[in-house]
Amino acid sequence: MLNVKSRDLVHATAPILKQHGVALTTHFYARMFQYNPELKQIFNEGHQQSGAQQQALAMAVAAYAEHIDNPSVLAPVLTHIANKHISLGIRPEHYPIVGHHLLASIREVLGEAASDELITAWAAAYGQLADVLIAEEAQLYAAAAFKQGGWTGWRGFVVAKKEVESSEITSFYLRPADGGSVPDYAPGQYISVRMFVPEWNLMQPRQYSLSDAPGNDYLRISVKREQIGNIIGQVSNLLHNTVNVGDVIDLAPPAGDFVLHQDRKTPVVLISGGVGITPMLSMLKHIVKTSSDRAVRFVHGCRNAEVHAFKNAVNQLATQQSNLEKVFFYGEACPDLSHDHLGYVDLVKIADSAILPDADYYICGPLAFMQAQIKSLQTMGVSAERIHAEAFGTGGVAA
């Protein structure tokens, strides 16, 4: 445990970190990759080049300093980070390396303001944080390894099927190359894919939501092709352009804390934007597959019919399941009127059918989309504990 003096010293740096945190974390990553270039393959190079990773770490460090007196406030955030870490293969031996470069960066960036006393306090604070994450990650690694079909690290999977879902999204059906079984997972979780990116001369991991219900003999991801030239789209373009049926790719085991609460019988409202439909489809198909009688509302928004993935699958389920209602929002009018509303997803407009008593609301999509839907739900009186969200984009970047 940190003593009072150390906590006070760390807490006093919170305002400085909020103002200058990105400069610190930018220096930190540059320093760490200079001395430990082998760690580059763990981190998303696209997020490094865009500055998203540096921004995310700066926010995390400042939040830790601000709540150092009561770090339990950050427990949900730490659980989220721990899941990201096990999906990237971060192990206990990485923490001393990160800590060394972080402390050196604090001293080098803050200069005379970084007294020996402050560095000692931050070393203790970092050690406390590392211990919490290492312990939580150990539990997650053990759970992943000991379940039927489970593993840790990377495992080869064969592409058994490649299916175009829309003009932007393609699904990959993946089976273990070793002939073994696949593990169970919670609807909403993701897996990491690792591929070699020639332009960067690096192995690069990326997380993709599992887009089918658990219980099959395959894992399915549905990947959006990012625009060519977009620094955050290198791996998605490799998957679309170069990976074919019969190829083998490396996967990490399922992870993630944005999951369907299967222990509840409350109504479920699934709200997605763009490729954020993928974990929602997993949740929806699991509810149907388990013959649950929970009322379900499936709300999805996208630009137009061409980019709308899984439209037919959701429509078919809606005709078969009396407890399921779907609503589609399109940004552009569709000639065949396959959408229900024109414009951005507007929950107020469909409140009579989509806002249900005691429902749990799951939201997935770009950060701005997620923020808008949360604000709308809160305005309509939905309590925070009933809102569960996962941002696809830089808002979900882990340090």
Side-chain angles (χ1 to χ4, degrees):
M1 295 293 292
L2 289 174
N3 59 44
V4 174
K5 187 173 183 179
S6 293
R7 289 202 304 269
D8 290 343
L9 283 168
V10 171
H11 187 267
T13 63
I16 300 172
L17 293 171
K18 287 181 180 179
Q19 184 176 1
H20 303 291
V22 174
L24 171 64
T25 56
T26 300
H27 181 88
F28 157 75
Y29 280 117
R31 190 185 203 282
M32 183 171 67
F33 293 149
Q34 177 186 354
Y35 291 101
N36 294 91
E38 71 278 6
L39 296 183
K40 286 184 177 181
Q41 66 178 342
I42 293 177
F43 293 85
N44 184 319
E45 180 65 17
H47 287 154
Q48 284 291 320
Q49 293 189 18
S50 70
Q53 194 89 58
Q54 294 87 335
Q55 179 68 38
L57 179 57
M59 293 172 60
V61 172
Y64 183 56
E66 184 175 10
H67 297 286
I68 194 68
D69 289 330
N70 185 20
S72 63
V73 172
L74 300 176
V77 177
L78 297 182
T79 295
H80 181 76
I81 291 174
N83 275 274
K84 289 287 186 183
H85 281 183
I86 70 157
S87 77
L88 297 172
I90 290 177
R91 301 285 180 170
E93 58 266 27
H94 293 129
Y95 281 90
I97 299 172
V98 171
H100 169 73
H101 292 296
L102 181 61
L103 295 174
S105 296
I106 291 174
R107 187 181 292 278
E108 292 163 1
V109 172
L110 297 186
E112 293 181 359
S115 64
D116 291 344
E117 193 174 37
L118 178 62
I119 296 300
T120 299
W122 258 108
Y126 175 80
Q128 175 179 275
L129 177 61
D131 288 344
V132 171
L133 286 171
I134 289 170
E136 185 156 1
E137 288 158 20
Q139 294 180 359
L140 293 173
Y141 275 125
F146 291 113
K147 65 172 56 175
Q148 178 68 34
W151 77 99
T152 66
W154 300 100
R155 183 183 181 191
F157 275 69
V158 177
V159 179
K161 182 180 178 182
K162 183 177 178 181
E163 186 171 52
V164 174
E165 307 289 2
S166 75
S167 63
E168 294 180 335
I169 297 174
T170 293
S171 289
F172 297 82
Y173 291 73
L174 308 167
R175 290 193 170 93
D178 54 29
S181 59
V182 298
D184 197 14
Y185 57 89
Q189 288 193 306
Y190 54 80
I191 54 174
S192 284
V193 173
R194 184 175 68 169
M195 298 190 68
F196 181 73
V197 179
E199 288 83 355
W200 296 333
N201 199 33
L202 286 173
M203 295 296 292
Q204 283 284 278
R206 294 293 185 273
Q207 286 86 35
Y208 297 107
S209 292
L210 292 158
S211 61
D212 210 340
N216 297 303
D217 63 352
Y218 59 83
L219 299 175
R220 186 179 78 172
I221 57 174
S222 302
V223 180
K224 178 186 176 184
R225 181 205 298 268
E226 299 292 346
Q227 292 182 356
I228 294 176
N230 187 335
I231 59 173
I232 65 171
Q234 292 287 346
V235 174
S236 71
N237 276 281
L238 283 172
L239 284 167
H240 277 258
N241 298 336
T242 69
V243 174
N244 297 301
V245 171
D247 291 344
V248 176
I249 58 177
D250 286 343
L251 303 186
D257 57 327
F258 174 70
V259 297
L260 179 70
H261 291 77
Q262 300 180 57
D263 56 337
R264 302 178 184 178
K265 298 185 180 297
T266 51
V268 175
V269 181
L270 306 172
I271 307 164
S272 59
V275 73
I277 194 173
T278 51
M280 301 308 187
L281 189 64
S282 176
M283 294 181 188
L284 174 62
K285 294 187 75 172
H286 177 76
I287 292 171
V288 171
K289 191 174 183 178
T290 55
S291 301
S292 171
D293 59 358
R294 299 174 74 174
V296 183
R297 301 293 181 266
F298 194 94
V299 181
H300 180 65
C302 57
R303 293 198 312 278
N304 52 47
E306 288 187 359
V307 302
H308 187 177
F310 307 112
K311 176 178 65 177
N312 292 337
V314 174
N315 280 334
Q316 183 177 3
L317 289 174
T319 61
Q320 298 171 348
Q321 305 292 321
S322 60
N323 59 327
L324 168 62
E325 295 181 17
K326 57 85 183 174
V327 181
F328 298 148
F329 285 80
Y330 283 5
E332 303 166 5
C334 179
D336 66 2
L337 300 178
S338 59
H339 57 290
D340 300 292
H341 297 279
L342 191 61
Y344 295 113
V345 171
D346 185 350
L347 297 178
V348 174
K349 184 180 292 186
I350 58 172
D352 288 347
S353 61
I355 306 302
L356 306 176
D358 299 321
D360 279 286
Y361 298 82
Y362 299 85
I363 309 169
C364 189
L367 183 58
F369 171 87
M370 178 188 74
Q371 291 171 335
Q373 305 314 315
I374 291 174
K375 182 178 180 181
S376 181
L377 289 171
Q378 291 174 336
T379 299
M380 288 186 284
V382 177
S383 61
E385 59 267 21
R386 291 293 184 182
I387 301 174
H388 319 283
E390 175 87 303
F392 276 14
T394 59
V397 176

